[in-house]
Amino acid sequence: MGGPDSLTKDTAHDVASHRIASVEGENGGGKEDAKDNALQALSTFLRDDMEACNREIVARMQSPVPLIPQLGAHLVAAGGKRLRPLLTLAAARLCGYEPSPERQRHVGLAACVEFIHTATLLHDDVVDESTLRRGLASANAVFGNKASVLVGDFLFARSFQLMTADGSLKVMAILSAASATIAEGEVLQMATQNDLSTPIERYLEVIHGKTAALFAAACRVGAVVAGRPEAEEAALEAYGTNLGMAFQLVDDALDYAADQQVLGKTVGDDMREGKITLPVLAAYQAGNEEDRAFWLRVIETGEQHDEDLPHALDLIARTGAIQTTLERAQSYARAAMQALDIFPESEIRQLLMDAASYTVSRVN
């Protein structure tokens, strides 16, 4: 896609709608095609809800300010798993929510969750100076930092409009608290950057804030719209929290273990940015004196050379740091599945359990 002047408002809407239609076609191939990807199977099961959510997202990205739908079309074109809104829709269905044609609260709140997530991505890419997002040029690389920050603000505002339209103070409390927690997590990550003395517990606090909190809120509001008891709200919140922790741990492992084309972003970005993640902490703590001196140089002082990333990957492989990270992710995934024990057996419950299992086996 070209720069910010290459699309009018109308064509931006058309591109976004076309991309969503393409994604729906890819995800609509039936259960046989979806067996090997639990998220695709979940999306297929919830196809009608996801289509309604996607239409809501495209509609709410519209604005008389042309740059907003242009940048929105760029984000939609990049695709993505849409996991967080999918969790809201799935949680509502698990809890027996029955929408009416006139009132589909789960759809509006799923779109709200996606706007919160996308706003944080726009801001993160500016902070991290990222140039790739989901295999394409990041929005800040195409449109500039100012536009990315301001459109991120717009999406946050849209999310709060959707909360207000839902009309539930409880829902607003859950999602606004999650938004604040995400910001705290990002600030805490910045505070731990370049600091190899960061305890693993503090790292886990970071990923809870930046990732797991929104997973938890996305799931919990599904129970709220269905009017379910607090115990079921708490169970879905626990499911989302543990799923989010597993998801981010795997993301951090993939930054040192994935194929760049499959990952959709530059491998080694976390090292270049001096981010403290479990693979680095595990490799640093398990390394010898020479290994630790290497990590101190590249992470704490930021002195990096072209040959450092291959050496870092070798150290991480040699110390079993990826395995350490994935084992912890697997423990969170198991906890997520156990949280669903409160619900009776059903196809949607099994799909959510499969999604937790898939999270720790994915390659991007």
Side-chain angles (χ1 to χ4, degrees):
M1 182 173 294
D5 294 328
S6 62
L7 290 174
T8 66
K9 175 185 172 185
D10 290 339
T11 57
H13 179 275
D14 291 343
V15 169
S17 300
H18 176 73
R19 173 58 191 170
I20 282 177
S22 298
V23 171
E24 288 162 356
E26 291 162 8
N27 289 345
K31 294 180 186 290
E32 199 60 30
D33 294 335
K35 284 194 301 186
D36 295 331
N37 184 327
L39 299 186
Q40 186 175 331
L42 187 59
S43 183
T44 299
F45 183 84
L46 296 167
R47 184 189 307 175
D48 291 345
D49 286 345
M50 281 301 295
E51 288 176 354
C53 178
N54 287 332
R55 287 193 297 270
E56 182 77 5
I57 289 169
V58 170
R60 294 284 182 165
M61 277 184 176
Q62 297 314 300
S63 166
V65 180
L67 182 57
I68 292 173
Q70 289 165 13
L71 197 148
H74 177 83
L75 295 172
V76 171
K81 300 178 182 67
R82 292 268 165 88
L83 176 55
R84 292 154 188 83
L86 189 60
L87 290 174
T88 297
L89 299 172
R93 292 296 186 182
L94 177 68
C95 290
Y97 176 64
E98 291 292 343
S100 67
E102 300 80 21
R103 180 90 159 128
Q104 298 194 354
R105 296 178 65 195
H106 65 321
V107 170
L109 292 175
C112 172
V113 166
E114 181 66 4
F115 280 141
I116 293 171
H117 173 58
T118 305
T120 64
L121 293 186
L122 284 170
H123 291 166
D124 287 352
D125 283 346
V126 172
V127 171
D128 296 339
E129 299 180 349
S130 300
T131 58
L132 283 178
R133 170 65 63 181
R134 297 166 179 161
L136 297 177
S138 60
N140 54 302
V142 175
F143 296 89
N145 287 339
K146 292 179 181 179
S148 291
V149 169
L150 293 173
V151 174
D153 292 344
F154 171 84
L155 295 181
F156 266 128
R158 276 287 191 251
S159 74
F160 279 86
Q161 286 179 322
L162 285 161
M163 289 181 222
T164 303
D166 180 74
S168 166
L169 285 177
K170 187 171 189 177
V171 164
M172 182 171 285
I174 292 167
L175 291 175
S176 60
S179 300
T181 301
I182 293 167
E184 290 171 342
E186 294 292 350
V187 173
L188 184 57
Q189 178 172 262
M190 185 176 65
T192 62
Q193 199 159 321
N194 307 107
D195 184 3
L196 285 164
S197 69
T198 300
I200 289 177
E201 292 72 20
R202 179 55 60 90
Y203 158 76
L204 295 174
E205 187 180 344
V206 168
I207 67 173
H208 174 269
K210 64 179 281 190
T211 301
L214 187 56
F215 275 65
C219 292
R220 186 179 173 191
V221 296
V224 174
V225 299
R228 302 305 300 163
E230 289 281 349
E232 292 185 17
E233 284 185 36
L236 280 165
E237 184 174 38
Y239 171 83
T241 297
N242 285 290
L243 182 68
M245 295 294 288
F247 187 92
Q248 188 59 54
L249 281 160
V250 173
D251 252 19
D252 290 348
L254 288 174
D255 197 70
Y256 290 95
D259 178 276
Q260 181 167 310
Q261 288 186 325
V262 176
L263 184 61
K265 65 177 185 178
T266 309
V267 170
D269 270 352
D270 287 351
M271 188 185 87
R272 279 183 281 270
E273 295 162 13
K275 284 184 181 177
I276 301 301
T277 62
L278 187 54
V280 169
L281 288 176
Y284 176 72
Q285 293 172 6
N288 58 33
E289 187 175 342
E290 182 181 351
D291 297 340
R292 291 189 178 200
F294 167 81
W295 288 115
L296 287 167
R297 174 174 62 81
V298 300
I299 297 294
E300 292 212 342
T301 70
E303 181 188 336
Q304 297 184 12
H305 310 295
D306 290 344
E307 66 274 12
D308 286 339
L309 179 58
H311 185 56
L313 298 179
D314 178 65
L315 290 180
I316 282 176
R318 180 153 50 84
T319 57
I322 295 298
Q323 186 62 26
T324 297
T325 303
L326 293 180
E327 285 174 358
R328 192 174 286 257
Q330 287 163 356
S331 71
Y332 280 113
R334 287 192 294 271
M337 290 186 276
Q338 289 168 2
L340 297 179
D341 286 347
I342 191 174
F343 297 99
E345 291 186 11
S346 64
E347 185 175 3
I348 187 68
R349 190 188 83 153
Q350 186 59 51
L351 287 169
L352 283 167
M353 293 179 71
D354 292 345
S357 179
Y358 168 75
T359 292
V360 293
S361 64
R362 64 196 175 89
V363 295
N364 62 13

